[in-house]
Amino acid sequence: MTTSDLTEKLERAWSVRKANFPDEITWSYPLDTAVLSLTGAQCALDCAHCGGHYLGGMRPVWEAEPDGSSSCLISGGCDLAGRVPVLAHLDRVRAWREGRQMNWHVGFVSEAEMEAIAPLVDVVSFDFVGDDATIHEVYGLDRTVSDYVQTYSLLRRYARTLPHVTIGLRGGVLGHEMPAFEVLQELGADGVVILVFIPTAGTRYAKRQPPAVEEVADLLAEARLRFPKVPLYLGCMRPKGSYRDELDPLAVQAGFNVVVSPSRPARKAAEDLGLAARRLRECCVL
């Protein structure tokens, strides 16, 4: 895609946003969200892009005491079938419930599990993958896209569910994103969260590179064109530094509604486009 092609596509995406949303944008700074893990730092999958690294920044739910946080992210590692033990430590989760919104980051769950946790759920974050090869390589799971479709459809029956699509999930290589968009278009979505692959030390993808900013921006614009009336979120998991300085303003131009911890160039782009900014101190989907 040439620079002029990308510029034209971003302009089309911006026109779609203008036609469907007010002139405002949300900057999310999740400072008031307690991040709790149901498994501590343990995960059986050792995924190629994560390797359990990000669980290390979460508080084990069995050790954490309710504090002044106004919301919680309930997450955790998976078993070998890609299931987060959502029923584990429910008494501890209930202790955090009063006065707080809860975002659950779940893997593959059963209907019985969703029935059990539904009173504790305000929104579900669900990683959605668009092709089988990416599922097998990244997660090592004997799962297919149809398994993701089945679980996503189940989740939506019980709670507001926001699919998360990671651009470049397969070690920076594109491929699953457009099929994921196509499936989600057909199924419907309450919102779509876009993440970008981060090379992470100690993982199998540690020496890979994130996808080119221009390729990511093209997919951001594609998301807006495919989901004209659906809120779009640029989530916290994306490379920092100069990469974010370059990408974030393009997300604004592509018509995204929410950006987590936006770079200074993004805030300037929003101002130039006449968007009124509001600040959120919670996890972006809340």
Side-chain angles (χ1 to χ4, degrees):
M1 169 172 281
T2 65
T3 300
S4 61
D5 287 339
L6 178 58
T7 298
E8 187 272 334
K9 191 169 185 177
L10 288 169
E11 289 173 350
R12 284 193 288 125
W14 177 252
S15 295
V16 169
R17 189 225 201 273
K18 286 282 288 183
N20 291 290
F21 295 96
D23 291 334
E24 60 185 33
I25 193 166
T26 298
W27 307 135
S28 170
Y29 301 91
L31 301 170
D32 292 341
T33 299
V35 182
L36 307 175
S37 172
L38 296 168
T39 64
Q42 301 304 309
C43 180
L45 289 183
D46 189 29
C47 300
H49 68 309
C50 173
H53 173 84
Y54 296 99
L55 290 172
M58 302 178 184
R59 284 188 271 174
V61 69
W62 59 87
E63 294 179 358
E65 295 295 335
D67 57 20
S69 302
S70 53
S71 60
C72 298
L73 169 62
I74 309 297
S75 187
C78 294
D79 65 13
L80 291 174
R83 298 173 301 210
V84 177
V86 296
L87 300 185
H89 310 291
L90 275 186
D91 287 344
R92 298 297 302 164
V93 175
R94 288 191 189 97
W96 283 81
R97 178 56 165 163
E98 186 175 356
R100 294 179 181 87
Q101 297 185 85
M102 288 191 163
N103 170 24
W104 285 67
H105 185 245
V106 304
F108 296 100
V109 297
S110 68
E111 186 140 16
E113 288 172 324
M114 274 309 300
E115 287 178 351
I117 69 172
L120 303 172
V121 176
D122 292 292
V123 61
V124 171
S125 294
F126 181 66
D127 293 325
F128 198 92
V129 186
D131 72 51
D132 295 351
T134 299
I135 296 167
H136 300 156
E137 179 179 319
V138 175
Y139 300 107
L141 288 171
D142 185 23
R143 297 277 192 176
T144 65
V145 173
S146 63
D147 292 311
Y148 281 79
V149 169
Q150 183 177 357
T151 300
Y152 176 68
S153 299
L154 166 66
L155 292 169
R156 294 190 79 206
R157 294 204 300 271
Y158 285 90
R160 175 172 168 257
T161 300
L162 269 66
H164 288 47
V165 178
T166 300
I167 297 177
L169 176 62
R170 197 174 179 180
V173 177
L174 302 184
H176 89 102
E177 300 83 2
M178 288 288 278
F181 290 167
E182 290 166 4
V183 173
L184 291 170
Q185 261 189 295
E186 182 178 342
L187 296 174
D190 300 312
V192 179
V193 180
I194 302 295
L195 310 174
V196 183
F197 165 70
I198 303 171
T200 301
T203 68
R204 298 197 298 281
Y205 287 160
K207 295 184 178 180
R208 300 289 185 90
Q209 295 297 314
V213 168
E214 295 78 11
E215 294 178 324
V216 177
D218 175 59
L219 286 165
L220 299 184
E222 185 72 28
R224 174 45 72 214
L225 295 172
R226 287 179 177 268
F227 303 97
K229 298 183 179 181
V230 172
L232 296 179
Y233 305 72
L234 184 61
C236 53
M237 300 298 292
R238 63 189 193 281
K240 296 182 179 179
S242 60
Y243 190 99
R244 190 172 291 201
D245 285 345
E246 190 176 349
L247 177 64
D248 289 10
L250 296 174
V252 176
Q253 293 173 36
F256 270 56
N257 304 88
V258 183
V259 178
V260 180
S261 302
S263 65
R264 184 174 296 178
R267 300 195 299 271
K268 178 66 164 57
E271 184 179 329
D272 291 344
L273 288 166
L275 296 176
R278 63 183 287 265
R279 286 174 171 255
L280 177 70
R281 289 176 59 93
E282 317 284 351
C283 187
C284 69
V285 298
L286 297 172

